[in-house]
């Protein structure tokens, strides 16, 4: 028997060593014993980070939905697979059993087929957190179509860019969505997006909010009647191990989002194995991850990882503040949640509110608390530990990325002793390295460096859709033969890792990964604006907030500044979404630039963070005089 479920620290070290000494033998054993295959692999791993190319389980054939659904039907057919908790607490929760999930996914798969969707086609899913979203994702996987889920908080512009980049012909959406006390006109956003995406020939619409929407003839159809007529069984498409499973976009240091491509077998094996261990999932547990399926956290740890383990996974449509700040804890009590996985920004927001919201509810079912998306600060860690976990539930601070597919550095609860703000130890099979400025690996402990991974793991993204060169440049060119994460990290005396934050032009705001370039591009499209620079600064709830330095064109000089600020944020909302709005906007006459014309963001970051006592070396600047002006008018 392989070490599928790690139970104590000695075992962790022993299994870790095994996984590093002979990765192929290790992962082969895990894959062999815990999944169903139509055909076994010819080779476990082929890789070359120089190309770069990574292939796991080549030659194997499978369908991931057979692993996530069908194989559970005999033993867990009546067990709840997805527990849907609606936005409105007065609306009843929905328990979708594995048998029902099988039928719903089959019907949806058959509807997609009728719409002409074939293996390898891309399907854009722009849906709120309702069961149809989960069903649509799995239905794509059933027929070998590549799903591209776009978070339903993104704007029409962002949606259109993503549809066009992966050339989707079909979009699944809903008439609208509920978000706390608000409703959002999703279909209106889709209609607008499709003005710039003429390739889309079919839009299937879920009725969620019963609103009177515009249906374009020949293109738009209500989904429900199609599902009603569809056959409730669908033979799964047999996929090769390295066939793409999905595309998920993440922002980067240029304006264009990166469509990260994840493939089938390795992704399945790694997400399932990490889920089992990092949440110590036991058969009758109720597991809840509060993320949206529009992000990688939802893909890997609401859907694929839990379902591959036959788990009950909660899917929550709402927000933490509606109808009041006790909503999360009410749901934990109501469904007796055992593992709860959320983001530091949510914890910080709730920690600001009255403690009664937490104390009112019985949280004794909780066994494991998770955190993801950004560094969790010490204060938030303690609040989570004391008030939610009552010091009884270990906190797993899980570090990973859209690109890594699964959790990379994390404690294993009840196994790894935790330390606030430390993601602690690499998970089984993960080989981190810290690099110094000269590109050399630092072997010592108690040091800071740039975080790389020096050996492939099964769920690493294989490419950027349509742009393998960008994939190489972004992740494999900074350090030879290593995957570069874009993060900085500290390694302490016992080998624990603390992630210190991004070292590139990505800013994590409320756990959302935002590139500065796309925001600057959006602002610069405003007719009154010549140039802009975005930096992050500390914010007590969001972790980081955005500070924009904006240079006006001469024609903009006479304009009302407050109106301009509103228009800038409007512009950002339209191009990206409200999550990328700026907290502070400062109009400046120039930006500090190096002689080669690069904006010195380091200085702008310090000014925005009010850390102006030591601005560092400014001697290489082309225009040092501008700094004084910027500092005088900051905040
Ligand atoms: C970036 C990846 C992985 C799912 C959600 C975000 C930051 C993520 C942690 C953590 C410190 C973290 C990193 C990373 N990050 N988790 N536990 N501690 N930082 O996925 O949008 O691809 O963002 O989020 O900076 O590189 P993503």
């Amino acid at each position: 028997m392989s070490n599928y479920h790690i139970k104590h620290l000695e075992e962790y070290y022993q299994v870790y060593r095994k996984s590093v000494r002979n990765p192929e033998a290790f992962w082969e054993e895990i894959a062999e014993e815990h999944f169903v295959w139509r055909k076994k692999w010819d080779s476990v791993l082929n890789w070359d980070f120089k190309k770069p190319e990574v292939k796991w389980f080549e030659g194997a054939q499978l369908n991931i939905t057979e692993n996530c659904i069908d194989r559970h039907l005999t033993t867990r057919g009546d067990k709840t697979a997805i527990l849907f908790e609606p936005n409105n607490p007065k609306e009843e929760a929905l328990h979708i059993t594995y048998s029902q999930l099988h039928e719903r996914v089959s019907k949806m798969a058959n509807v997609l087929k009728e719409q002409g969707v074939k293996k390898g086609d891309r399907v854009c899913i722009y849906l709120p957190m309702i069961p149809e979203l989960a069903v649509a994702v799995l239905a794509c996987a059933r027929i070998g179509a590549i799903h591209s889920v776009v978070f339903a908080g993104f704007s029409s512009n962002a949606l259109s860019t993503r549809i066009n980049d992966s050339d989707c012909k079909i979009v699944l959406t809903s008439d609208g969505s509920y978000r706390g006390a608000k409703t959002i006109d999703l279909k209106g956003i889709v209609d607008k997006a499709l003005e710039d995406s003429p390739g889309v020939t079919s839009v299937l619409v879920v009725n969620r909010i019963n609103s009177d929407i515009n249906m374009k003839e020949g293109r738009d159809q209500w989904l429900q009647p199609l599902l009603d007529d569809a056959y409730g069984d669908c033979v799964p498409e047999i996929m090769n191990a390295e066939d793409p499973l999905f595309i998920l976009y993440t922002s980067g240091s240029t304006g264009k989002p990166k469509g990260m491509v994840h493939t089938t077998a390795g992704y399945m094996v790694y997400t399932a194995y990490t889920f089992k261990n990092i949440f110590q999932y036991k058969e009758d547990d109720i597991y809840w991850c509060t993320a949206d399926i529009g992000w990688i956290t939802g893909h890997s740890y609401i859907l694929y990882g839990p379902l591959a383990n036959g788990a009950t996974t909660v899917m929550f449509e709402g927000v933490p503040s509606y109808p009041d700040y006790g909503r999360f804890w009410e749901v934990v009590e109501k469904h007796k949640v055992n593992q709860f996985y959320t983001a530091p920004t949510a914890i910080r927001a709730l920690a600001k509110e009255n403690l009664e919201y937490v104390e009112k509810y019985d949280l004794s079912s909780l066994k494991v608390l998770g955190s993801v998306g950004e560094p969790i600060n010490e204060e938030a860690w303690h609040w989570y530990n004391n008030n939610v976990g009552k010091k009884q539930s270990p906190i797993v601070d899980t570090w990973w990325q859209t690109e890594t597919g699964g959790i990379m550095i994390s404690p294993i609860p009840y196994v790894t002793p935790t330390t606030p703000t430390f993601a602690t130890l690499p998970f089984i099979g993960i080989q981190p390295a810290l690099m110094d400025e000269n590109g050399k690996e630092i072997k010592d402990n108690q040091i800071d460096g740039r975080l790389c991974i020096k050996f492939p793991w099964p769920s690493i993204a294989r490419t950027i859709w349509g742009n393998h060169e960008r994939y190489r440049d972004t992740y494999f060119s900074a350090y030879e033969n290593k995957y570069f994460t874009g993060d900085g990290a500290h390694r302490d005396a016992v080998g624990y890792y603390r992630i210190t934050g991004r070292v590139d032009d990505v800013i994590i705001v409320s756990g959302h990964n935002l590139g500065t370039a796309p925001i600057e591009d959006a602002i610069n499209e405003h007719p009154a604006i010549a140039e802009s620079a975005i930096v992050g600064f500390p914010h007590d709830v969001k972790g980081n907030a955005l500070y924009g330095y904006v240079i006006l064109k001469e024609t903009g000089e006479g304009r009302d500044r407050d109106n301009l600020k509103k228009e800038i944020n409007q512009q950002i909302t339209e191009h990206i979404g409200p999550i990328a709005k700026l907290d502070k906007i400062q109009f400046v006459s120039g930006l500090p630039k190096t002689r080669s014309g690069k904006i010195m963001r380091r200085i702008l970051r310090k000014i925005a963070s009010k850390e102006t006592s030591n601005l560092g070396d400014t001697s290489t600047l082309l225009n040092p005089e501008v700094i004084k002006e910027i500092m005088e008018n900051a905040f």
Side-chain angles (χ1 to χ4, degrees), residues 203-236:
V203 178
L204 305 183
V205 186
V206 178
N207 178 357
R208 177 56 183 144
I209 65 167
N210 247 326
S211 68
D212 194 16
I213 53 162
N214 175 48
M215 296 290 273
K216 187 172 170 189
E217 233 192 274
R219 188 193 72 184
D220 304 350
Q221 298 174 80
W222 290 104
L223 181 63
Q224 197 54 50
L226 303 178
L227 287 171
D228 291 341
D229 287 346
Y231 185 53
D233 199 6
C234 172
V235 177

mmCIF file of all heavy atoms in Angstrom, residues 203-236:
data_model
loop_
_atom_site.group_PDB
_atom_site.id
_atom_site.type_symbol
_atom_site.label_atom_id
_atom_site.label_comp_id
_atom_site.label_asym_id
_atom_site.label_seq_id
_atom_site.Cartn_x
_atom_site.Cartn_y
_atom_site.Cartn_z
ATOM 1 N N VAL A 203 -25.250 30.552 -27.124
ATOM 2 C CA VAL A 203 -25.224 30.957 -25.711
ATOM 3 C C VAL A 203 -26.346 30.211 -24.996
ATOM 4 O O VAL A 203 -27.514 30.312 -25.387
ATOM 5 C CB VAL A 203 -25.428 32.483 -25.559
ATOM 6 C CG1 VAL A 203 -25.445 32.885 -24.089
ATOM 7 C CG2 VAL A 203 -24.335 33.249 -26.296
ATOM 8 N N LEU A 204 -25.986 29.424 -23.985
ATOM 9 C CA LEU A 204 -26.992 28.691 -23.214
ATOM 10 C C LEU A 204 -27.173 29.395 -21.878
ATOM 11 O O LEU A 204 -26.193 29.675 -21.181
ATOM 12 C CB LEU A 204 -26.558 27.239 -23.005
ATOM 13 C CG LEU A 204 -26.232 26.452 -24.289
ATOM 14 C CD1 LEU A 204 -25.888 25.009 -23.952
ATOM 15 C CD2 LEU A 204 -27.380 26.527 -25.285
ATOM 16 N N VAL A 205 -28.436 29.671 -21.542
ATOM 17 C CA VAL A 205 -28.702 30.554 -20.405
ATOM 18 C C VAL A 205 -29.470 29.817 -19.301
ATOM 19 O O VAL A 205 -30.541 29.259 -19.537
ATOM 20 C CB VAL A 205 -29.521 31.782 -20.866
ATOM 21 C CG1 VAL A 205 -29.674 32.781 -19.716
ATOM 22 C CG2 VAL A 205 -28.878 32.456 -22.066
ATOM 23 N N VAL A 206 -28.902 29.829 -18.101
ATOM 24 C CA VAL A 206 -29.582 29.279 -16.932
ATOM 25 C C VAL A 206 -30.515 30.355 -16.384
ATOM 26 O O VAL A 206 -30.124 31.523 -16.297
ATOM 27 C CB VAL A 206 -28.565 28.902 -15.831
ATOM 28 C CG1 VAL A 206 -29.272 28.362 -14.587
ATOM 29 C CG2 VAL A 206 -27.547 27.896 -16.351
ATOM 30 N N ASN A 207 -31.699 29.967 -15.995
ATOM 31 C CA ASN A 207 -32.584 30.920 -15.336
ATOM 32 C C ASN A 207 -32.304 30.881 -13.836
ATOM 33 O O ASN A 207 -32.710 29.963 -13.148
ATOM 34 C CB ASN A 207 -34.044 30.551 -15.609
ATOM 35 C CG ASN A 207 -35.012 31.493 -14.904
ATOM 36 O OD1 ASN A 207 -34.593 32.395 -14.173
ATOM 37 N ND2 ASN A 207 -36.295 31.289 -15.122
ATOM 38 N N ARG A 208 -31.610 31.887 -13.332
ATOM 39 C CA ARG A 208 -31.345 31.923 -11.903
ATOM 40 C C ARG A 208 -32.198 32.964 -11.196
ATOM 41 O O ARG A 208 -32.669 32.730 -10.095
ATOM 42 C CB ARG A 208 -29.850 32.206 -11.640
ATOM 43 C CG ARG A 208 -29.472 32.345 -10.160
ATOM 44 C CD ARG A 208 -29.886 31.129 -9.366
ATOM 45 N NE ARG A 208 -29.617 31.236 -7.935
ATOM 46 C CZ ARG A 208 -30.426 30.728 -6.995
ATOM 47 N NH1 ARG A 208 -31.535 30.100 -7.328
ATOM 48 N NH2 ARG A 208 -30.119 30.839 -5.726
ATOM 49 N N ILE A 209 -32.389 34.143 -11.824
ATOM 50 C CA ILE A 209 -33.069 35.200 -11.061
ATOM 51 C C ILE A 209 -34.411 35.578 -11.677
ATOM 52 O O ILE A 209 -35.048 36.545 -11.261
ATOM 53 C CB ILE A 209 -32.181 36.460 -10.899
ATOM 54 C CG1 ILE A 209 -31.897 37.130 -12.246
ATOM 55 C CG2 ILE A 209 -30.868 36.121 -10.211
ATOM 56 C CD1 ILE A 209 -31.300 38.515 -12.113
ATOM 57 N N ASN A 210 -34.857 34.778 -12.660
ATOM 58 C CA ASN A 210 -36.164 35.020 -13.256
ATOM 59 C C ASN A 210 -36.313 36.419 -13.814
ATOM 60 O O ASN A 210 -37.343 37.052 -13.629
ATOM 61 C CB ASN A 210 -37.245 34.830 -12.188
ATOM 62 C CG ASN A 210 -38.081 33.623 -12.530
ATOM 63 O OD1 ASN A 210 -38.306 33.334 -13.711
ATOM 64 N ND2 ASN A 210 -38.500 32.913 -11.505
ATOM 65 N N SER A 211 -35.300 36.898 -14.476
ATOM 66 C CA SER A 211 -35.416 38.266 -14.986
ATOM 67 C C SER A 211 -35.749 38.235 -16.472
ATOM 68 O O SER A 211 -35.495 37.257 -17.164
ATOM 69 C CB SER A 211 -34.131 39.045 -14.737
ATOM 70 O OG SER A 211 -33.097 38.530 -15.522
ATOM 71 N N ASP A 212 -36.299 39.321 -16.895
ATOM 72 C CA ASP A 212 -36.731 39.428 -18.275
ATOM 73 C C ASP A 212 -35.539 39.878 -19.101
ATOM 74 O O ASP A 212 -35.157 41.038 -19.053
ATOM 75 C CB ASP A 212 -37.858 40.470 -18.325
ATOM 76 C CG ASP A 212 -38.594 40.407 -19.630
ATOM 77 O OD1 ASP A 212 -38.442 39.397 -20.352
ATOM 78 O OD2 ASP A 212 -39.308 41.385 -19.935
ATOM 79 N N ILE A 213 -34.924 38.966 -19.813
ATOM 80 C CA ILE A 213 -33.706 39.350 -20.536
ATOM 81 C C ILE A 213 -33.914 39.258 -22.031
ATOM 82 O O ILE A 213 -34.850 38.639 -22.517
ATOM 83 C CB ILE A 213 -32.505 38.457 -20.141
ATOM 84 C CG1 ILE A 213 -32.874 36.980 -20.310
ATOM 85 C CG2 ILE A 213 -32.023 38.772 -18.754
ATOM 86 C CD1 ILE A 213 -31.681 36.084 -20.369
ATOM 87 N N ASN A 214 -32.981 39.853 -22.707
ATOM 88 C CA ASN A 214 -33.010 39.837 -24.155
ATOM 89 C C ASN A 214 -32.371 38.544 -24.668
ATOM 90 O O ASN A 214 -31.262 38.198 -24.281
ATOM 91 C CB ASN A 214 -32.229 41.068 -24.631
ATOM 92 C CG ASN A 214 -32.083 41.098 -26.120
ATOM 93 O OD1 ASN A 214 -33.066 40.916 -26.841
ATOM 94 N ND2 ASN A 214 -30.872 41.318 -26.575
ATOM 95 N N MET A 215 -33.090 37.769 -25.497
ATOM 96 C CA MET A 215 -32.512 36.552 -26.072
ATOM 97 C C MET A 215 -32.321 36.782 -27.563
ATOM 98 O O MET A 215 -33.282 37.054 -28.287
ATOM 99 C CB MET A 215 -33.453 35.361 -25.836
ATOM 100 C CG MET A 215 -33.662 34.989 -24.376
ATOM 101 S SD MET A 215 -32.205 34.262 -23.584
ATOM 102 C CE MET A 215 -32.418 32.535 -24.004
ATOM 103 N N LYS A 216 -31.101 36.665 -28.008
ATOM 104 C CA LYS A 216 -30.829 36.925 -29.426
ATOM 105 C C LYS A 216 -31.177 35.692 -30.252
ATOM 106 O O LYS A 216 -30.664 34.596 -30.009
ATOM 107 C CB LYS A 216 -29.357 37.284 -29.610
ATOM 108 C CG LYS A 216 -29.049 37.719 -31.017
ATOM 109 C CD LYS A 216 -27.645 38.257 -31.148
ATOM 110 C CE LYS A 216 -27.344 38.445 -32.632
ATOM 111 N NZ LYS A 216 -25.955 38.753 -32.885
ATOM 112 N N GLU A 217 -32.024 35.892 -31.219
ATOM 113 C CA GLU A 217 -32.488 34.750 -31.995
ATOM 114 C C GLU A 217 -31.375 34.066 -32.756
ATOM 115 O O GLU A 217 -30.484 34.712 -33.272
ATOM 116 C CB GLU A 217 -33.583 35.198 -32.957
ATOM 117 C CG GLU A 217 -34.771 34.301 -32.727
ATOM 118 C CD GLU A 217 -35.820 34.404 -33.771
ATOM 119 O OE1 GLU A 217 -36.642 35.299 -33.609
ATOM 120 O OE2 GLU A 217 -35.785 33.559 -34.681
ATOM 121 N N GLY A 218 -31.442 32.744 -32.753
ATOM 122 C CA GLY A 218 -30.433 31.981 -33.473
ATOM 123 C C GLY A 218 -29.155 31.798 -32.681
ATOM 124 O O GLY A 218 -28.293 31.013 -33.041
ATOM 125 N N ARG A 219 -28.999 32.538 -31.575
ATOM 126 C CA ARG A 219 -27.774 32.423 -30.782
ATOM 127 C C ARG A 219 -28.073 31.975 -29.345
ATOM 128 O O ARG A 219 -27.419 31.087 -28.817
ATOM 129 C CB ARG A 219 -27.042 33.772 -30.759
ATOM 130 C CG ARG A 219 -25.665 33.725 -30.123
ATOM 131 C CD ARG A 219 -25.115 35.118 -29.829
ATOM 132 N NE ARG A 219 -25.827 35.750 -28.710
ATOM 133 C CZ ARG A 219 -25.602 36.991 -28.289
ATOM 134 N NH1 ARG A 219 -24.699 37.751 -28.895
ATOM 135 N NH2 ARG A 219 -26.280 37.496 -27.276
ATOM 136 N N ASP A 220 -29.067 32.578 -28.723
ATOM 137 C CA ASP A 220 -29.313 32.333 -27.298
ATOM 138 C C ASP A 220 -30.464 31.341 -27.076
ATOM 139 O O ASP A 220 -31.496 31.426 -27.732
ATOM 140 C CB ASP A 220 -29.676 33.646 -26.598
ATOM 141 C CG ASP A 220 -28.622 34.728 -26.790
ATOM 142 O OD1 ASP A 220 -27.522 34.401 -27.296
ATOM 143 O OD2 ASP A 220 -28.895 35.890 -26.444
ATOM 144 N N GLN A 221 -30.278 30.439 -26.105
ATOM 145 C CA GLN A 221 -31.352 29.509 -25.741
ATOM 146 C C GLN A 221 -31.369 29.330 -24.225
ATOM 147 O O GLN A 221 -30.317 29.308 -23.592
ATOM 148 C CB GLN A 221 -31.106 28.124 -26.343
ATOM 149 C CG GLN A 221 -31.065 28.064 -27.845
ATOM 150 C CD GLN A 221 -30.673 26.673 -28.309
ATOM 151 O OE1 GLN A 221 -31.497 25.772 -28.338
ATOM 152 N NE2 GLN A 221 -29.408 26.498 -28.646
ATOM 153 N N TRP A 222 -32.556 29.145 -23.674
ATOM 154 C CA TRP A 222 -32.646 28.770 -22.274
ATOM 155 C C TRP A 222 -32.133 27.349 -22.132
ATOM 156 O O TRP A 222 -32.415 26.476 -22.951
ATOM 157 C CB TRP A 222 -34.089 28.859 -21.766
ATOM 158 C CG TRP A 222 -34.563 30.274 -21.661
ATOM 159 C CD1 TRP A 222 -35.408 30.921 -22.517
ATOM 160 C CD2 TRP A 222 -34.198 31.224 -20.651
ATOM 161 N NE1 TRP A 222 -35.602 32.218 -22.113
ATOM 162 C CE2 TRP A 222 -34.871 32.441 -20.960
ATOM 163 C CE3 TRP A 222 -33.369 31.193 -19.519
ATOM 164 C CZ2 TRP A 222 -34.743 33.585 -20.180
ATOM 165 C CZ3 TRP A 222 -33.245 32.344 -18.739
ATOM 166 C CH2 TRP A 222 -33.924 33.513 -19.068
ATOM 167 N N LEU A 223 -31.387 27.103 -21.075
ATOM 168 C CA LEU A 223 -30.759 25.787 -20.909
ATOM 169 C C LEU A 223 -31.752 24.723 -20.435
ATOM 170 O O LEU A 223 -31.701 23.569 -20.869
ATOM 171 C CB LEU A 223 -29.593 25.905 -19.916
ATOM 172 C CG LEU A 223 -28.802 24.637 -19.639
ATOM 173 C CD1 LEU A 223 -28.098 24.133 -20.894
ATOM 174 C CD2 LEU A 223 -27.758 24.892 -18.545
ATOM 175 N N GLN A 224 -32.642 25.107 -19.527
ATOM 176 C CA GLN A 224 -33.466 24.089 -18.866
ATOM 177 C C GLN A 224 -34.261 23.188 -19.821
ATOM 178 O O GLN A 224 -34.213 21.964 -19.688
ATOM 179 C CB GLN A 224 -34.379 24.727 -17.807
ATOM 180 C CG GLN A 224 -34.954 23.719 -16.807
ATOM 181 C CD GLN A 224 -33.875 22.863 -16.124
ATOM 182 O OE1 GLN A 224 -32.890 23.396 -15.610
ATOM 183 N NE2 GLN A 224 -34.034 21.549 -16.124
ATOM 184 N N PRO A 225 -34.966 23.760 -20.793
ATOM 185 C CA PRO A 225 -35.707 22.873 -21.710
ATOM 186 C C PRO A 225 -34.789 21.891 -22.439
ATOM 187 O O PRO A 225 -35.181 20.745 -22.681
ATOM 188 C CB PRO A 225 -36.347 23.847 -22.715
ATOM 189 C CG PRO A 225 -36.255 25.194 -22.113
ATOM 190 C CD PRO A 225 -35.198 25.183 -21.085
ATOM 191 N N LEU A 226 -33.584 22.315 -22.741
ATOM 192 C CA LEU A 226 -32.642 21.418 -23.427
ATOM 193 C C LEU A 226 -32.239 20.273 -22.496
ATOM 194 O O LEU A 226 -32.148 19.122 -22.904
ATOM 195 C CB LEU A 226 -31.397 22.183 -23.882
ATOM 196 C CG LEU A 226 -31.615 23.392 -24.801
ATOM 197 C CD1 LEU A 226 -30.292 24.077 -25.120
ATOM 198 C CD2 LEU A 226 -32.298 22.948 -26.102
ATOM 199 N N LEU A 227 -32.017 20.624 -21.215
ATOM 200 C CA LEU A 227 -31.651 19.592 -20.234
ATOM 201 C C LEU A 227 -32.809 18.616 -20.044
ATOM 202 O O LEU A 227 -32.603 17.403 -19.941
ATOM 203 C CB LEU A 227 -31.295 20.244 -18.887
ATOM 204 C CG LEU A 227 -29.955 20.985 -18.823
ATOM 205 C CD1 LEU A 227 -29.838 21.749 -17.511
ATOM 206 C CD2 LEU A 227 -28.776 20.026 -18.975
ATOM 207 N N ASP A 228 -34.020 19.170 -19.989
ATOM 208 C CA ASP A 228 -35.195 18.311 -19.781
ATOM 209 C C ASP A 228 -35.305 17.252 -20.875
ATOM 210 O O ASP A 228 -35.712 16.123 -20.618
ATOM 211 C CB ASP A 228 -36.480 19.155 -19.754
ATOM 212 C CG ASP A 228 -36.552 20.032 -18.511
ATOM 213 O OD1 ASP A 228 -35.825 19.730 -17.530
ATOM 214 O OD2 ASP A 228 -37.301 21.030 -18.509
ATOM 215 N N ASP A 229 -34.931 17.630 -22.071
ATOM 216 C CA ASP A 229 -35.059 16.704 -23.200
ATOM 217 C C ASP A 229 -33.856 15.786 -23.368
ATOM 218 O O ASP A 229 -33.875 14.879 -24.190
ATOM 219 C CB ASP A 229 -35.218 17.500 -24.513
ATOM 220 C CG ASP A 229 -36.599 18.139 -24.599
ATOM 221 O OD1 ASP A 229 -37.466 17.730 -23.804
ATOM 222 O OD2 ASP A 229 -36.789 19.041 -25.437
ATOM 223 N N ALA A 230 -32.781 16.056 -22.617
ATOM 224 C CA ALA A 230 -31.534 15.309 -22.871
ATOM 225 C C ALA A 230 -31.564 13.951 -22.175
ATOM 226 O O ALA A 230 -32.213 13.756 -21.152
ATOM 227 C CB ALA A 230 -30.336 16.119 -22.382
ATOM 228 N N TYR A 231 -30.811 13.025 -22.734
ATOM 229 C CA TYR A 231 -30.704 11.675 -22.196
ATOM 230 C C TYR A 231 -29.791 11.691 -20.965
ATOM 231 O O TYR A 231 -28.770 12.376 -20.940
ATOM 232 C CB TYR A 231 -30.145 10.752 -23.290
ATOM 233 C CG TYR A 231 -30.088 9.303 -22.910
ATOM 234 C CD1 TYR A 231 -31.218 8.633 -22.427
ATOM 235 C CD2 TYR A 231 -28.893 8.588 -23.027
ATOM 236 C CE1 TYR A 231 -31.162 7.303 -22.075
ATOM 237 C CE2 TYR A 231 -28.830 7.248 -22.683
ATOM 238 C CZ TYR A 231 -29.961 6.615 -22.209
ATOM 239 O OH TYR A 231 -29.896 5.302 -21.844
ATOM 240 N N GLY A 232 -30.171 10.925 -19.932
ATOM 241 C CA GLY A 232 -29.476 10.982 -18.647
ATOM 242 C C GLY A 232 -28.270 10.080 -18.501
ATOM 243 O O GLY A 232 -27.872 9.751 -17.380
ATOM 244 N N ASP A 233 -27.707 9.696 -19.596
ATOM 245 C CA ASP A 233 -26.471 8.919 -19.518
ATOM 246 C C ASP A 233 -25.578 9.371 -20.675
ATOM 247 O O ASP A 233 -26.090 9.688 -21.751
ATOM 248 C CB ASP A 233 -26.778 7.420 -19.625
ATOM 249 C CG ASP A 233 -25.617 6.580 -19.082
ATOM 250 O OD1 ASP A 233 -24.661 7.173 -18.532
ATOM 251 O OD2 ASP A 233 -25.663 5.352 -19.222
ATOM 252 N N CYS A 234 -24.304 9.432 -20.435
ATOM 253 C CA CYS A 234 -23.393 9.875 -21.490
ATOM 254 C C CYS A 234 -22.088 9.105 -21.358
ATOM 255 O O CYS A 234 -21.426 9.179 -20.317
ATOM 256 C CB CYS A 234 -23.146 11.378 -21.371
ATOM 257 S SG CYS A 234 -21.864 11.982 -22.458
ATOM 258 N N VAL A 235 -21.762 8.369 -22.373
ATOM 259 C CA VAL A 235 -20.525 7.583 -22.346
ATOM 260 C C VAL A 235 -19.335 8.539 -22.296
ATOM 261 O O VAL A 235 -19.239 9.449 -23.122
ATOM 262 C CB VAL A 235 -20.432 6.700 -23.616
ATOM 263 C CG1 VAL A 235 -19.121 5.927 -23.642
ATOM 264 C CG2 VAL A 235 -21.628 5.755 -23.675
ATOM 265 N N PRO A 236 -18.466 8.378 -21.308
ATOM 266 C CA PRO A 236 -17.345 9.324 -21.212
ATOM 267 C C PRO A 236 -16.359 9.187 -22.366
ATOM 268 O O PRO A 236 -16.103 8.084 -22.836
ATOM 269 C CB PRO A 236 -16.676 8.939 -19.884
ATOM 270 C CG PRO A 236 -17.141 7.559 -19.577
ATOM 271 C CD PRO A 236 -18.466 7.382 -20.230
#
